[in-house]
Amino acid sequence: MMNNDLQNKILKAFEERYPGFPVLIKSPGRINLIGEHTDYNEGFVFPATIDKYIYVAVAKSDNRYSSAYSIDFDESVKIDLNKLEKQKNGSWKNYVIGVVSGIVEKTNLSDNFNLVFGGDIPIGAGLSSSAALENGIAFGLNSLFNLGLSSNEIMNISIEAEHNFAGVNCGVMDQFSNLNGKKNNAILLDCSDLSYKHIPVQFDDYQLLLINTNVKHQLTDSPYNQRKQSCKTGFEIIKKHFPSVSSLSRTTINQLNTVKAELTEEVYNRCLYVIEENSRVQSARKALEERNWKEFGKQLFASHKGLKELYEVSCDELDFLVDLAKQEPVVLGSRMMGGGFGGCTINLIEKKSIDRFINKVKLEYLNKYGLNPDFYSVNITDGIKTVKL
Ligand code: GLA
């Protein structure tokens, strides 16, 4: 659907349900070029916002409660600002109520509102639809009620909602990039102090192609939170020996090897991955600036290998897509993207060979898994914005 169509659909849905003229927020999804699972280890990430969005329309309400309606789930929720409680696991309502709870806590908001949202960021694809929704709500309420929240305050409210209501102890990458994206640029973000630089991204004869496995393996006991815990365990031991090291990302492989005997194999592997991935971000950045696309692609493949073998957050379907990409010289690099266990791969592919490659992947993936993958040729766009109506 074209952006304007999507925008009109949201506005129409709002008009059908609620009175008043809403503020409309356009909140993008994100890709990450490289630097996966490094954000909560105070390392570097390299995300960019893309032309897939969640729109949030929100207006004041005279009712004694607030309401939110999800177009895509065709469900609504009544919100009592004095009674903001976690909903059942996996429900979209947690994102809304989580953010509202953070805002009420921070600003004492007591005015009610009606909100409608929907969009075209595929859910569970590793494109951060949840951060887009959280920030969209926080940004929308901030603007509607003139709450005066800064960009970092909005980010923190969204992150807290993700931790305490959605139950994922995420890092800063998704919410930060959604707020700070810039057209045709990726964000080289240092998660230790949130300093960042916009780096122009333009791949000449190549382009980025996302392939959605259309699987999301729901594993019990959040494996994401477990990875974070392993990194913490590893770093606590490293820190005992090297008190001046500030984070796992800043640890050297030599330092890690010095304490190897004190770590389980699993914790060692997780730590090794993080240290290597963090330095891959720098290599990829250098390759990008030197327009050395082959080298850039090599870093993507190496990242996938680490994610698969050391960090163990990949899955068969993702590995299959990366292996297919590896067989094709027109694909310079490929890796899983985002939290893992499903979702998309990100590929750097020669523009003129895209159609042929897509046809091949479609056929082979369908043959193997009985499932159609989706393909997105995304463009890098600006971060979250209010739409002028
Ligand atoms: C999810 C989290 C991010 C980040 C990535 C992995 O998207 O929300 O904070 O940790 O996984 O890089």
Side-chain angles (χ1 to χ4, degrees):
M1 206 183 277
M2 294 292 291
N3 257 318
N4 273 347
D5 295 347
L6 198 54
Q7 191 174 306
N8 292 336
K9 182 175 150 189
I10 311 295
L11 289 172
K12 188 159 168 274
F14 188 93
E15 213 179 282
E16 280 167 10
R17 257 164 211 92
Y18 304 119
F21 193 67
V23 169
L24 184 68
I25 309 299
K26 184 178 181 184
S27 187
R30 64 108 190 86
I31 53 171
N32 185 22
L33 296 178
I34 195 161
E36 219 63 87
H37 290 275
T38 42
D39 61 349
Y40 52 82
N41 287 303
E42 297 184 28
F44 290 99
V45 291
F46 211 175
T49 37
I50 54 167
D51 55 348
K52 292 204 168 289
Y53 303 95
I54 285 181
Y55 284 89
V56 175
V58 58
K60 294 181 184 175
S61 160
D62 293 333
N63 289 339
R64 263 180 286 156
Y65 57 85
S66 296
S67 301
Y69 172 70
S70 157
I71 296 187
D72 301 304
F73 290 101
D74 189 20
E75 267 176 21
S76 59
V77 61
K78 264 192 188 176
I79 305 167
D80 177 347
L81 296 187
N82 299 309
K83 200 163 160 272
L84 296 161
E85 285 166 356
K86 190 171 179 300
Q87 308 287 298
K88 72 173 191 311
N89 279 344
S91 167
W92 62 268
K93 295 172 189 168
N94 278 320
Y95 299 112
V96 182
I97 296 176
V99 168
V100 174
S101 160
I103 291 205
V104 167
E105 210 169 280
K106 181 106 200 150
T107 67
N108 292 322
L109 174 73
S110 57
D111 295 335
N112 282 298
F113 58 86
N114 293 316
L115 179 152
V116 167
F117 73 92
D120 64 356
I121 308 177
I123 293 171
L127 301 179
S128 256
S129 56
S130 58
L133 175 58
E134 291 152 359
N135 278 354
I137 295 166
F139 200 90
L141 292 175
N142 191 36
S143 136
L144 181 69
F145 292 112
N146 284 317
L147 300 174
L149 295 169
S150 69
S151 174
N152 275 359
E153 285 171 330
I154 289 176
M155 176 184 84
N156 286 327
I157 286 170
S158 294
I159 292 175
E160 289 291 306
E162 188 84 41
H163 288 190
N164 301 329
F165 283 76
V168 178
N169 295 330
C170 67
V172 297
M173 171 168 73
D174 305 345
Q175 289 78 4
F176 185 93
S177 52
N178 172 274
L179 287 155
N180 295 289
K182 183 175 170 193
K183 193 173 176 113
N184 297 330
N185 281 258
I187 309 164
L188 184 72
L189 170 66
D190 182 346
C191 299
S192 70
D193 59 4
L194 299 187
S195 56
Y196 70 101
K197 214 178 154 199
H198 284 127
I199 311 259
V201 175
Q202 207 275 79
F203 291 108
D204 298 332
D205 296 337
Y206 293 86
Q207 78 166 69
L208 295 173
L209 174 71
L210 307 183
I211 309 180
N212 192 348
T213 56
N214 284 325
V215 297
K216 182 80 200 150
H217 296 288
Q218 286 295 358
L219 305 177
T220 47
D221 299 339
S222 163
Y224 183 95
N225 296 349
Q226 284 168 11
R227 295 304 179 281
K228 192 168 174 181
Q229 185 53 44
S230 298
C231 293
K232 187 164 173 266
T233 305
F235 184 59
E236 274 164 10
I237 294 170
I238 293 165
K239 187 93 181 151
K240 271 196 211 139
H241 293 261
F242 303 101
S244 65
V245 180
S246 60
S247 68
L248 179 56
S249 296
R250 285 350 189 232
T251 305
T252 64
I253 293 184
N254 270 343
Q255 289 169 332
L256 175 67
N257 284 339
T258 310
V259 306
K260 188 170 182 179
E262 291 178 49
L263 307 175
T264 62
E265 191 186 348
E266 186 178 290
V267 168
Y268 175 82
N269 286 344
R270 307 293 192 246
C271 293
L272 178 61
Y273 162 77
V274 169
I275 297 168
E276 289 182 342
E277 178 76 353
N278 197 51
S279 71
R280 276 191 287 268
V281 179
Q282 297 304 338
S283 311
R285 177 226 179 135
K286 185 163 174 280
L288 191 70
E289 286 178 335
E290 291 169 355
R291 311 186 91 69
N292 186 345
W293 311 133
K294 266 216 164 109
E295 177 57 32
F296 185 86
K298 222 174 95 188
Q299 298 301 328
L300 298 191
F301 280 132
S303 169
H304 187 79
K305 190 169 191 296
L307 286 159
K308 175 186 173 193
E309 293 171 7
L310 297 174
Y311 218 63
E312 296 181 278
V313 289
S314 187
C315 63
D316 280 355
E317 293 87 348
L318 287 165
D319 295 342
F320 182 78
L321 290 180
V322 172
D323 286 343
L324 271 183
K326 234 181 226 156
Q327 292 163 18
E328 290 283 323
V330 296
V331 185
L332 296 185
S334 175
R335 65 177 198 86
M336 57 146 275
M337 195 179 72
F341 307 104
C344 289
T345 61
I346 178 168
N347 303 270
L348 184 62
I349 176 169
E350 194 178 51
K351 280 181 187 159
K352 63 175 198 277
S353 308
I354 282 208
D355 290 345
R356 187 179 58 75
F357 181 64
I358 287 182
N359 286 334
K360 178 179 169 170
V361 173
K362 256 189 198 156
L363 217 81
E364 299 211 12
Y365 192 79
L366 182 65
N367 255 342
K368 173 97 179 169
Y369 296 106
L371 209 65
N372 284 309
D374 283 318
F375 300 85
Y376 318 119
S377 295
V378 289
N379 296 304
I380 296 182
T381 57
D382 286 329
I384 192 165
K385 275 189 185 159
T386 305
V387 180
K388 291 203 174 63
L389 296 172

